[in-house]
Every structure is written in C-alpha cells, then in structure tokens.
Amino acid sequence: MLFSMRSLRSSRYGRMLTVLVFALCCIHSGKGQTCTEGFTYDRRARQCIDVDECRTVPDACRLDMRCVNQNGGYLCLPRSMYTQSYSRPEAPGPAYPEPAYPDTSVGFSEPQFGQPPPGPVAPSYPIMSRTAPCILGYVLGEDGTCVDIDECEANTHQCNPTQVCFNTDGGYTCSCTEGYWLVSGQCQDIDECRYGYCQQLCANVPGSYSCSCNPGFLLNPDSRTCSDIDECEEEPCSHACFNTYGSYMCNCDEGFELGSDGTSCNDLDECSFSDFLCQHTCVNTPGSFSCICPPGYYVFEDGRSCEDVNECETGNNTCTTAQVCFNFQGGYTCLDALQCDPPYIEFGDNQCMCSAENPACRNKPFTILYRHMDLSSGRSVPADIFQMQATTRYPGAFYIFQIKSGNEGREFYMRQTSNVSATLVLSRPIRGPREVVLDLEMVTVNNVINFRGSSIIRLTIYVSAHPF
C-alpha cells in the first residue's frame, strides 16, 4: 500500500511537471517567435499563419495572369488555363471534407489531447483543366500539334502606336525601332550624342544622329571618326610649315620673325635689341647682322667682340730700325732710343743713373727707370695696374712709395703692400685716347747710417680710345 501511494504521488508529480514544461515552452515560444518566408506570427493564435501575397503584394502577377495564394507562397497562372478558382472539378474518387479553420476572432482554444487527426484537406490552389491541349500562346493545329499564335500579324497584341510588335514563341514583345527606347510605355528618341558616338562634333536627329569634324579635319568613311588634314601640302607659309593635329604652324628662318598674318616672314633687326650685341658697331643684314670693329682691331672668332691688332708683331707699323715698336690697345707707338739728360748717364736697358760722386746729382733721384703700359678707356675702378718693389735691401732701412708727379687729376694713388713693395691703383676712370706720364718714387731711409735716397720709375700709360 505504501508502494502504491508513492507511485500515485510520482504519477501526479510527473503530470504536473509535464504541464509546467509545456507551459514554459508555450510562454518561451511566444516571446521571440520567427516564421519562415511566406508566414507571419499571430500572437493571439500563438502560431505562424500563411500570408496572402495576392492581397498584400501590389501587382504580384502581370495583367494576363491570375494570382493564386498557396500555403507559404503564391502562383501566377494564365486566366484561361484553369476551370475553377478554389475547388477541384467533380470527378470520381474520394471526397475531401471542407477544412475547418479556427475562428481567430474569439481566440484559440487549448489543444485537445487524444482527439483523432482531421482527414485530408483539399489544395488551396486552382487545378488545371485536363481538357486544355496547348499552353498559352499556342493553338491546336490541324495535325493535332500546338502552333504558335502570331499576335503581331493577328493584331491581337497590346503594343502602343509608338512601339513595334515582334512575335516570339508563345507570345510577343513590344519594342522600339532603332534610335528609340522605351520610357514609361512610350518610345522616345535616344540622344546618341550623349554617349560619344562621334569623335568630335555630333548633332542629334529623331531616331539617329549626324557626325561632323572641326576645322582642319576630314570625316572618315565610317561617318564617325575624323582624320587630320595636312595643310602644309598647299604650302601656305613663306618659309617653313609644320603640320599639327587639326591645324598647321608657320616658322621662319633664323633672323626673321613671323608676320601678323601668321604666314609671312619679316626681317628681324637684331641690332635694335641691345647695345651690347656687338662690342663696337652692329650692322643689320637680311636675316642676320654683322659686327665691325674700329681701326686697330679685328673681329674675334665669336663674331661680336673686337681684338687688338698687334701691329708690332705683324709688321704693319711705321717704326724705323732705330726705334722700338710698342703696341697698345687699338694702336702702337714708336719709341726713340733712350737718351739720358745730364747729369744722368745711360745705365742698362731703359735706365739712367746719376752717380753719387757727381756733385750735380746731389738731391736728385739715384736712378730713373723708364716703363710703358697700356690701359683701356673707362676701365672699372678701383683697379691695381702696376707694382713697384725695391730690388736692393739694406739692414735697418725702410722704404716710402709715392707719386711724385703726373697725378694732377688724382686718378691714381699708391698703396703700400709690404715694407719693400707698393701697388699703383687706378681710382678714377680715364677716357682715351690719352697719354699719361707718372713719376713713381721710392724713397729709401736708413737712420742708422743717416742715409736718405730715392729712385724713380717714369711710367708712361697709353689709354686707348675704346673700352676694349
């Protein structure tokens, strides 16, 4: 009896646990329930129900088709190919009872356990008639086969007046002629120019387009691309012609410039461009120019600068055998043989000496050395032009360098560079032609032996007439 009571209690606990698990499953499934495509979840029924796409989907089927809802989907069937919308035609066989669906307006009752399952339910889509021998778009021929219906020839198509009908197997297609496309059921002209059918210029016309070329090009036989015209074959330029893409360009020979008409060439006056084109004088010539130099110069290899002619070397001078030819920039001079004025006597080349034993030489320079140099007119300043240096050095002696005469215009000054040397500096530009004679004095002072003496360099400067 105790065993029976325990079994009874276990059985009750088992049924209660089953009901609790079923309730939890029902509660859990009602919160985040998802359904497959074609179904939607009904919270009142707490289950997935079919979606009627024929009512909820706009234009689910085209006009000549009929939408038939199915469990989880729908069908699009020709209207002429089924006999009944929602029931099978009468035929011998088992009868299907009308399916019973729960009334969702009052809710769903709890499931009844132990009831037998319902019988088979009739399908929810139309049943095709077994008497239709051919599918839509075909007709039964005399030989018993299905023949395509030419809707275009029979004028049973639905194409609008702007379209063209093309027959297909089992149907037809409404299309537009070449140069048109279908927009909102109407054939409209295609603007072919928007798609770059032409290489250069394009003009749209109804149903077509026309190509043309820019000036300087010729339309090819394909009526779309363009070829360049070689205008130089007609020789439009005075000198040289260069064909370019779509045009041409005239070019002139050196020394000419292109005229305003773009084809003729005019002489270029190079001499008017700059005063420094030639070192001396510029002469314009057709297509070029030439430089000339003054007497005493020749045109250098560059054709522009002037180079001095050394008449003393070429022999093109008038000096006698007793004279010495001295060349300077742009000319020359003939120097007579050295003659020393008393009490000076000749002492070596170009040097006169006054002996210390001669009372007449007291307070006179010990030696006079004759030197010559040339200088370009207008030379930039300051410029070091001559250097003077003591040749004999005495212990305890120092030297003073100065310009003794010839510097009345103060164009020169002496700059002592060391204890025994100095440099003659040109401080102001000198314009030629001009001849300048300077006496440059070097004074020797020795306080140990109480000696003071001097020497002179008589410098003759030949300033040229030109700055070269």
Side-chain angles (χ1 to χ4, degrees):
M1 184 65 180
L2 181 59
F3 176 79
S4 298
M5 290 296 293
R6 289 179 179 177
S7 299
L8 181 58
R9 289 179 181 178
S10 299
S11 177
R12 288 180 180 177
Y13 292 155
R15 284 196 298 270
M16 291 176 64
L17 181 60
T18 301
V19 173
L20 180 59
V21 170
F22 178 78
L24 289 175
C25 290
C26 292
I27 293 174
H28 180 268
S29 62
K31 289 183 179 180
Q33 180 68 35
T34 58
C35 301
T36 59
E37 186 177 2
F39 293 88
T40 183
Y41 183 75
D42 191 328
R43 294 184 177 275
R44 297 179 61 187
R46 291 182 291 179
Q47 65 179 3
C48 294
I49 62 174
D50 176 56
V51 176
D52 190 353
E53 292 85 355
C54 295
R55 294 183 179 179
T56 60
V57 178
D59 299 329
C61 298
R62 65 184 188 182
L63 298 178
D64 56 346
M65 306 292 283
R66 183 167 183 175
C67 179
V68 179
N69 186 57
Q70 282 190 293
N71 192 26
Y74 67 98
L75 292 175
C76 292
L77 300 176
R79 295 179 180 273
S80 60
M81 295 194 63
Y82 55 85
T83 57
Q84 294 183 5
S85 299
Y86 296 98
S87 62
R88 182 184 297 271
E90 293 182 3
Y96 295 92
E98 187 71 22
Y101 297 99
D103 186 3
T104 59
S105 61
V106 296
F108 286 82
S109 59
E110 294 294 332
Q112 301 294 326
F113 298 100
Q115 295 182 1
V121 181
S124 61
Y125 55 86
I127 304 302
M128 300 296 177
S129 173
R130 300 180 182 271
T131 59
C134 299
I135 63 175
L136 182 65
Y138 290 86
V139 66
L140 189 63
E142 296 179 356
D143 58 354
T145 60
C146 293
V147 180
D148 173 57
I149 299 174
D150 190 347
E151 294 87 354
C152 300
E153 183 178 355
N155 200 23
T156 59
H157 60 82
Q158 299 297 321
C159 300
N160 62 50
T162 64
Q163 297 175 323
V164 178
C165 178
F166 293 95
N167 186 60
T168 60
D169 291 339
Y172 62 92
T173 300
C174 296
S175 183
C176 299
T177 58
E178 185 178 2
Y180 294 85
W181 57 6
L182 190 64
V183 178
S184 300
Q186 299 292 326
C187 290
Q188 295 184 4
D189 174 54
I190 299 175
D191 187 1
E192 295 86 354
C193 296
R194 297 177 57 186
Y195 302 99
Y197 291 161
C198 298
Q199 185 180 9
Q200 292 186 0
L201 303 179
C202 179
N204 185 60
V205 295
S208 185
Y209 62 97
S210 176
C211 297
S212 59
C213 300
N214 293 317
F217 293 90
L218 183 66
L219 190 64
N220 289 326
D222 60 2
S223 299
R224 293 182 59 185
T225 58
C226 299
S227 297
D228 173 57
I229 298 174
D230 188 358
E231 295 87 352
C232 293
E233 294 180 353
E234 300 179 0
E235 299 181 356
C237 304
S238 298
H239 287 179
C241 179
F242 296 95
N243 185 60
T244 60
Y245 190 68
S247 184
Y248 68 96
M249 181 178 63
C250 293
N251 191 24
C252 298
D253 297 336
E254 185 177 1
F256 294 86
E257 61 180 350
L258 195 64
S260 57
D261 58 358
T263 58
S264 61
C265 295
N266 302 323
D267 176 53
L268 194 64
D269 186 5
E270 297 88 351
C271 297
S272 64
F273 290 164
S274 173
D275 294 335
F276 304 99
L277 191 61
C278 294
Q279 194 171 26
H280 183 56
T281 303
C282 178
V283 178
N284 185 60
T285 59
S288 184
F289 69 96
S290 62
C291 297
I292 59 175
C293 296
Y297 295 87
Y298 67 93
V299 180
F300 194 58
E301 296 176 355
D302 60 3
R304 299 187 180 188
S305 57
C306 295
E307 191 75 9
D308 172 59
V309 176
N310 192 336
E311 294 87 354
C312 298
E313 290 184 357
T314 62
N316 187 20
N317 59 76
T318 59
C319 298
T320 65
T321 57
Q323 294 175 321
V324 176
C325 180
F326 179 78
N327 184 75
F328 57 85
Q329 294 293 318
Y332 69 97
T333 186
C334 297
L335 304 176
D336 295 327
L338 178 63
Q339 294 182 355
C340 298
D341 297 330
Y344 286 90
I345 61 175
E346 186 176 348
F347 181 75
D349 293 339
N350 299 322
Q351 187 173 4
C352 295
M353 183 182 67
C354 193
S355 177
E357 288 83 8
N358 190 347
C361 293
R362 185 174 296 181
N363 297 327
K364 289 183 180 293
F366 179 67
T367 59
I368 300 176
L369 181 64
Y370 292 86
R371 288 286 184 262
H372 305 83
M373 66 171 291
D374 64 336
L375 184 67
S376 299
S377 176
R379 180 172 177 176
S380 60
V381 293
D384 297 345
I385 61 173
F386 189 79
Q387 188 172 11
M388 190 175 180
Q389 185 172 346
T391 58
T392 304
R393 304 177 184 180
Y394 298 97
F398 65 91
Y399 303 91
I400 301 173
F401 298 90
Q402 60 187 6
I403 301 175
K404 188 173 184 179
S405 65
N407 192 27
E408 290 76 9
R410 298 184 180 279
E411 295 98 347
F412 307 90
Y413 71 90
M414 293 294 292
R415 184 182 74 247
Q416 192 156 345
T417 55
S418 69
N419 293 333
V420 296
S421 63
T423 300
L424 178 65
V425 180
L426 177 66
S427 59
R428 294 182 181 179
I430 299 179
R431 302 296 177 183
R434 182 179 171 185
E435 184 177 324
V436 179
V437 179
L438 298 176
D439 279 353
L440 308 179
E441 184 181 33
M442 180 183 71
V443 179
T444 303
V445 179
N446 193 331
N447 295 326
V448 176
I449 61 176
N450 194 20
F451 174 80
R452 182 183 178 90
S454 67
S455 298
I456 294 291
I457 294 180
R458 185 157 291 168
L459 178 64
T460 302
I461 302 174
Y462 297 95
V463 183
S464 65
H466 306 284
F468 45 83

